[in-house]
Amino acid sequence: MQHLELAGDLTQQGIREQMDTMVRREQLSGEEASWVDPATLAGFFRSAVGQRLLGARWVRREVPFNLSMAAGRVFPQICMPGEQILVQGVMDLVFAEEDGLVLLDYKTDTPDNIRRNLEPYRLQLGVYKEALERILGGPVKDVMLYLFSTQEAMGLEELDG
């Protein structure tokens, strides 16, 4: 996902050809390429969120950040009031639509693992959203998790309930 040419051919065959090019350029090893299912990626680009991404005004991938925040937000049982921690992370994807920014994180977990990890994902996306809003000084209109294993997108509000 990090290196795919979004203006290129994003069909199954086109993605396979892009991956072959990435292997030749040593952006991916042959072993890494063997783990990727071009049909699954092509399905993402046909999905509603994939179509939104392809129509975006701009796209940023692998966006690193550092964020100082209340430690109790991440570790409520073990932190003192007012204690701060530094959180570092990398956002998978941020894109701009006409009416605002969209933050997208993707997971390749199994459906059972996804269900077990909803709380950590909720926390992760909330931290990413806060970081992006602080960096840009404005609101993020949409925060989504795309699950490659089930080929579905979930909004942050869906993770909350």
Side-chain angles (χ1 to χ4, degrees):
M1 289 297 288
Q2 180 181 1
H3 299 293
L4 280 175
E5 290 293 332
L6 299 179
D9 179 358
L10 295 170
T11 63
Q12 185 174 342
Q13 181 60 36
I15 290 169
R16 186 172 288 112
E17 289 170 6
Q18 284 198 49
M19 288 174 46
D20 290 344
T21 300
M22 287 181 227
V23 170
R24 281 193 307 276
R25 291 180 181 163
E26 297 181 354
Q27 292 173 301
L28 271 181
S29 71
E31 182 179 359
E32 290 168 329
S34 73
W35 300 333
V36 178
D37 178 16
T40 299
L41 293 183
F44 166 77
F45 289 109
R46 286 189 308 270
S47 74
V49 68
Q51 290 296 298
R52 288 175 66 186
L53 168 63
L54 294 175
R57 293 174 49 212
W58 56 259
V59 176
R60 301 293 181 273
R61 295 183 262 191
E62 302 294 318
V63 179
F65 71 91
N66 295 313
L67 177 67
S68 176
M69 64 185 306
R73 181 152 172 226
V74 179
F75 305 109
Q77 293 82 13
I78 61 172
C79 295
M80 302 294 292
E83 194 173 351
Q84 294 284 303
I85 60 171
L86 178 65
V87 177
Q88 296 179 313
V90 178
M91 298 174 219
D92 287 337
L93 193 67
V94 176
F95 61 93
E97 295 180 316
E98 290 298 322
D99 59 343
L101 294 177
V102 177
L103 171 61
L104 178 64
D105 193 67
Y106 22 82
K107 301 292 183 201
T108 57
D109 296 6
T110 63
D112 285 343
N113 199 38
I114 289 165
R115 280 190 287 282
R116 280 193 302 273
N117 286 298
L118 283 179
E119 182 59 36
Y121 292 159
R122 186 179 305 119
L123 176 62
Q124 175 190 8
L125 290 174
V127 168
Y128 285 10
K129 179 179 188 265
E130 182 178 334
L132 190 56
E133 288 177 338
R134 282 202 211 168
I135 290 166
L136 299 175
V140 172
K141 76 170 195 166
D142 247 341
V143 179
M144 292 184 288
L145 186 64
Y146 186 83
L147 312 172
F148 281 106
S149 61
T150 60
Q151 296 198 350
E152 64 181 315
M154 298 175 74
L156 188 56
E157 64 284 350
E158 293 171 87
L159 293 171
D160 286 337

